[in-house]
Amino acid sequence: MDAPVTLVVALGALVMIVALATAAQRLLGVRFGAIRTFLAALLAFALAGPLLSPILGSFAGTGVEADPGIGPMWVLFLVVMCVVLIPMVILVLAEALVPPGSIPGPLEFFRSLRGRISRARRYSQITRIAVRHGLGPYLRGRGERLADRPGKVRLARSLRQALDEAGVTFVKLGQVLSTRRDLLPAEFIDELGLLQDQVAPVPWERIEPVLAAEFGGPVDKVFAAFDTEPLAAASIAQAYTARLHTGESVVVKVQRPGLGPTVDRDLDIVRRLAGTLESRTRWGRSLGVRDLAEGFAVAIREELDFRVEAANMAAVAATNGGGVTYPAPVGPLCTERVLVMQRLTGGPVTTASAEQGPQLARDLLDCLLRQILVEGVFHADPHPGNLMLLDDGSLGLLDFGSVGRLDAAIRSALQRFLLAMNRQDPLGVTDALLEVVPRPEEIDEAALERALGQFMARNLGPGMNSVQMFTDLFKIVSAYGLSIPPEVAAVFRALATLEGTLVRLSPGFDLIGEARAFAGRHLSEKLDGGTLKEAATQELAALIPMLRRLPRRVERIASSAEHGRLGFNVRLLADDRDRRFVTGLLHQVLLTVLGATAGLMAVLLLGTDGGPRVSDELDMSLFELIGYNLLVICAILVLRVLVLIFRRPRDAEPHGAVA
């Protein structure tokens, strides 16, 4: 066969394959990826010859000169439809067995091959670390349940050592978990709280290129002086002292080089581990580790972007700090990997004298409670390392990488919660708590109210231990199936951290008494005549338009009721999405009924003897020909319904494009 003939045959085959693909996709009524559709049509084209050769062989005895009549032509049309059915069946089977997106495309596969190898190597390293510390059985969901405290302490210590060895991302994960008293036992909280991210500093030769890249030039163009010895070094960044050309002393926080790719890879592994643990282990499902991993990923990505921290600093600095000072960021010099802020001069807060301690503790508590309950922007990690005793004797608050934000509704509910606690009102505390946390579908509010009443009776007396108070509160929340939102969990974490700081500043500090005093002052501010007048004016201004329309509407309703014309108009399926859903459901039911009817009629006709012959050459009656055509119609309708069933759980739009 010469080249032109080969080319013509190849083009003809290609045209037939494209025609098969188009026909199969149109008959199924669902759009498939081009590669998947072409491969299905190509496979159908290859199978068509062997499968249909017996049927086509029956036409061998028909003479060329003879008029075949309408019967053989209809049989040929039936053969063509059978060929079209082959790619339809292949596409439906592929949709069920190999859903779109489950296998990456060639380009995506080769692009991600290097990342897959790197991730596999890191995954293997983390697995070896976990096994070496005795955590292997717990990753597989086969670890023993420990009821005794020594066993829990050993397991918590092994977890802490494994996270510490695994690197910066896992150290940060352990630090976040150490604040979730609502999820983990006290033994794990205490052990994970020992995790520190203090590491050896990176040499200046590696830090300088980061500064030059972020500022677009040498360091001396931006700073009049720069001390290359780090002031502090942590796992994410290092801090340096410098002086601007304006003469202002600043602290420069620089992210460690090459940290981004490492954290991205580790976060991907954390997500995969969380998914595995939630699907394979009971404790993973009870803790909701997949949601924890997603929340942690968002938090650590924000921590890696120093522009977020600069915005946090500016937001907190704009609030009323009382006796606490915040460093202000130097906005034009803050980038994704470099943070420049005002330098506060002073020493560690632990150097405060015994006479200074009570007032410093009172200022810190008042500052944080005001941030939480009034301003809605608060420092979420007020431990002693983030505090300074300034030269003027006041407190300075540092490190705004972890800042919480509360909307007005949450702040109002927390205010009512605190005021109800101050009054020791179990009903008010219960109502406020159910506004703070998502309300479950079923809850015994009377039992929750009694539990909170007992909680206040145990913890609000003189000499209470606030750490135990937070632990008891978390136990009540967990026992009644209440899940704490992340922003509210940050509040409790900040308050629990604050308690330890206050004890360091002033041993024996009465946290509950001072919190009650703050609640009293805040309540008096709320009940101030000017404040009440302003609130009433605002509410009245919002109600005036409704009040003006209310008499006419009441009169209209009363008149309609008096004359017997009062009625209610309820529009079913008013939402377009509801109409689309019902329409699609009716279409599927109709296709199913039509397909079943066609199949039943086909079986009846194929089982009927006799009938006129289609032609003299074909051993087929008219009843059989109609039956076979009905079978083809039945197959098309059934395949159309099946592909919608297989597609619907994954796609919101049934007719959307699928790669």
Side-chain angles (χ1 to χ4, degrees), residues 276-607:
T276 301
L277 292 174
E278 187 160 324
S279 61
R280 295 185 180 180
T281 64
R282 183 168 51 189
W283 63 268
R285 287 188 294 273
S286 64
L287 292 181
V289 293
R290 184 181 282 111
D291 292 338
L292 285 175
E294 290 298 330
F296 168 71
V298 172
I300 198 170
R301 288 188 188 282
E302 288 186 354
E303 193 170 348
L304 289 177
D305 190 347
F306 289 168
R307 293 171 298 187
V308 175
E309 183 172 351
N312 292 339
M313 293 177 64
V316 175
T319 63
N320 181 11
V324 180
T325 303
Y326 316 124
V330 183
L333 300 181
C334 295
T335 67
E336 183 177 358
R337 295 190 294 170
V338 176
L339 176 65
V340 181
M341 71 192 87
Q342 172 192 4
R343 184 182 182 186
L344 302 181
T345 57
V349 72
T350 52
T351 60
S353 64
E355 292 77 15
Q356 292 176 302
Q359 185 59 44
L360 293 177
R362 194 173 296 109
D363 289 342
L364 180 59
L365 176 63
D366 186 86
C367 172
L368 193 65
L369 289 179
R370 183 169 292 276
Q371 287 179 0
I372 293 172
L373 299 173
V374 181
E375 308 292 349
V377 182
F378 62 95
H379 195 295
D381 194 18
H383 63 76
N386 288 335
L387 291 169
M388 286 183 62
L389 179 62
L390 303 183
D391 293 338
D392 62 358
S394 63
L395 281 176
L397 193 56
L398 309 174
D399 192 358
F400 293 83
S402 179
V403 169
R405 285 181 169 83
L406 301 174
D407 57 42
I410 294 293
R411 292 202 306 273
S412 178
L414 285 174
Q415 291 169 9
R416 290 193 294 274
F417 183 82
L418 180 60
L419 293 173
M421 292 271 285
N422 185 40
R423 300 192 306 267
Q424 297 195 33
D425 176 13
L427 180 59
V429 171
T430 303
D431 292 339
L433 180 62
L434 291 178
E435 291 184 37
V436 171
V437 302
R439 179 189 291 265
E441 295 182 1
E442 296 182 2
I443 183 172
D444 189 346
E445 292 193 28
L448 176 61
E449 182 182 339
R450 289 193 298 270
L452 289 173
Q454 295 173 359
F455 158 77
M456 288 185 288
R458 288 194 304 268
N459 293 281
L460 296 186
M464 58 76 59
N465 185 341
S466 60
V467 173
Q468 184 64 40
M469 181 185 74
F470 288 120
T471 302
D472 290 346
L473 184 58
F474 282 133
K475 287 180 179 179
I476 293 174
V477 167
S478 301
Y480 285 87
L482 305 176
S483 59
I484 300 180
E487 63 272 16
V488 179
V491 172
F492 287 113
R493 178 185 70 183
L495 293 176
T497 305
L498 177 66
E499 194 276 340
T501 304
L502 296 176
V503 170
R504 293 282 297 274
L505 285 172
S506 176
F509 183 76
D510 186 7
L511 173 61
I512 295 301
E514 293 295 335
R516 283 178 168 175
F518 176 86
R521 292 194 302 272
H522 182 68
L523 179 60
S524 63
E525 292 176 6
K526 287 288 185 181
L527 296 179
D528 178 73
T531 305
L532 287 177
K533 182 179 179 181
E534 181 182 358
T537 303
Q538 292 175 353
E539 292 293 333
L540 183 60
L543 289 174
I544 283 177
M546 183 187 70
L547 293 175
R548 292 179 60 186
R549 292 190 296 267
L550 186 59
R552 291 193 298 271
R553 292 182 176 178
V554 171
E555 192 276 334
R556 193 180 303 127
I557 293 173
S559 177
S560 299
E562 182 181 358
H563 294 87
R565 296 193 302 267
L566 182 63
F568 295 94
N569 184 16
V570 179
R571 295 181 58 191
L572 296 176
L573 304 178
D575 194 298
D576 185 60
R577 292 172 298 179
D578 295 336
R579 292 195 296 272
R580 287 201 305 268
F581 172 76
V582 174
T583 302
L585 188 61
L586 289 176
H587 285 173
Q588 288 196 51
V589 172
L590 181 60
L591 290 176
T592 304
V593 171
L594 291 177
T597 303
L600 181 60
M601 292 176 63
V603 172
L604 293 175
L605 287 172
L606 291 175

Side-chain angles (χ1 to χ4, degrees), residues 183-236:
L183 299 179
L184 298 178
E187 295 81 5
F188 287 83
I189 297 297
D190 296 339
E191 192 66 38
L192 294 178
L194 301 177
L195 283 170
Q196 300 292 329
D197 56 359
Q198 297 292 330
V199 295
V202 175
W204 170 249
E205 291 75 17
R206 295 183 58 196
I207 293 293
E208 187 177 13
V210 177
L211 288 168
E214 293 297 307
F215 293 138
V219 176
D220 54 10
K221 283 189 176 182
V222 181
F223 302 100
F226 197 101
D227 187 358
T228 58
E229 286 296 322
L231 183 67
S235 57
I236 286 182

